[in-house]
Amino acid sequence: MASARDRVLDSFVAIVCEDGERPATLDAVAARAGVSKGGLLYHFGSKAALVEGLCERLADLSALDIERMRAAEDGPARYFVENCQFVGSELDLALLAASRLQQAGYEEAGRTLDETENAWLATLVEALDDVPTAQAVKLLGDGLYHAASLGAASDVRPDRASVDMAALLQVVDRLIATKPAP
């Protein structure tokens, strides 16, 4: 069972993702987490503290993802593209909540999102030793994430073509093979 602190943070993330920042009041978060308001305040003394907790979670999740990228047997570029369809995961929810908080004016959320995106790109640049190639791989993965997140939102377009990941990874391999020599 998740700790009370994790349940509170999970509840905050869920409310922000589902309803936006304004309905994510301390009372609403406590109720959804099944804790008293005092229990919530023990872990997070304010809404700003909840935002900080979310930003810490996002930083931890993205650091873990970068560790996995660096350790990937097929290399960081293939890992990044292959794993960009993570809609509904803890990382996805943290990204979505941070994005909504950034839109609501929480600068810390925007900084954390920027740091996350920059760290993914820096890892690709480090592995590929070419900025434009790393940017192309990053944008390819970002596009996959975007398409997956739109597709997960509804069943409006059930005939949407699925991605042939094996073929797409061959494109990534060709892109990397044709990058300029350093």
Side-chain angles (χ1 to χ4, degrees), residues 71-150:
E73 191 173 308
D74 288 341
R78 282 179 139 254
Y79 172 92
F80 185 77
V81 170
E82 195 166 24
N83 289 284
C84 275
Q85 296 177 303
F86 54 83
V87 174
S89 71
E90 191 175 11
L91 178 56
D92 172 48
L93 296 175
L95 285 166
L96 178 57
S99 176
R100 291 198 172 179
L101 290 167
Q102 176 190 27
Q103 292 168 353
Y106 290 86
E107 292 179 13
E108 183 177 2
R111 279 192 303 275
T112 305
L113 286 167
D114 288 346
E115 290 166 3
T116 298
E117 293 293 328
N118 290 338
W120 278 323
L121 181 59
T123 303
L124 290 168
V125 169
E126 173 186 299
L128 301 174
D129 198 30
D130 182 63
V131 173
T133 304
Q135 289 171 328
V137 170
K138 174 83 169 53
L139 290 169
L140 182 62
D142 289 349
L144 284 169
Y145 174 69
H146 177 74
S149 65
L150 289 178

Side-chain angles (χ1 to χ4, degrees), residues 9-80:
L9 195 52
D10 291 344
S11 296
F12 177 64
V13 168
I15 293 170
V16 170
C17 287
E18 294 166 10
D19 303 320
E21 176 270 337
R22 285 189 180 193
T25 64
L26 296 179
D27 289 329
V29 171
R32 183 162 183 152
V35 301
S36 68
K37 189 169 180 182
L40 178 148
L41 292 171
Y42 175 77
H43 297 289
F44 300 98
S46 65
K47 191 169 187 175
L50 281 166
V51 172
E52 183 179 328
L54 165 67
C55 290
E56 290 171 5
R57 176 181 280 184
L58 177 54
D60 290 346
L61 291 169
S62 63
L64 179 61
D65 192 52
I66 287 170
E67 285 177 29
R68 290 179 181 144
M69 280 177 71
R70 287 186 173 129
E73 191 173 308
D74 288 341
R78 282 179 139 254
Y79 172 92
F80 185 77

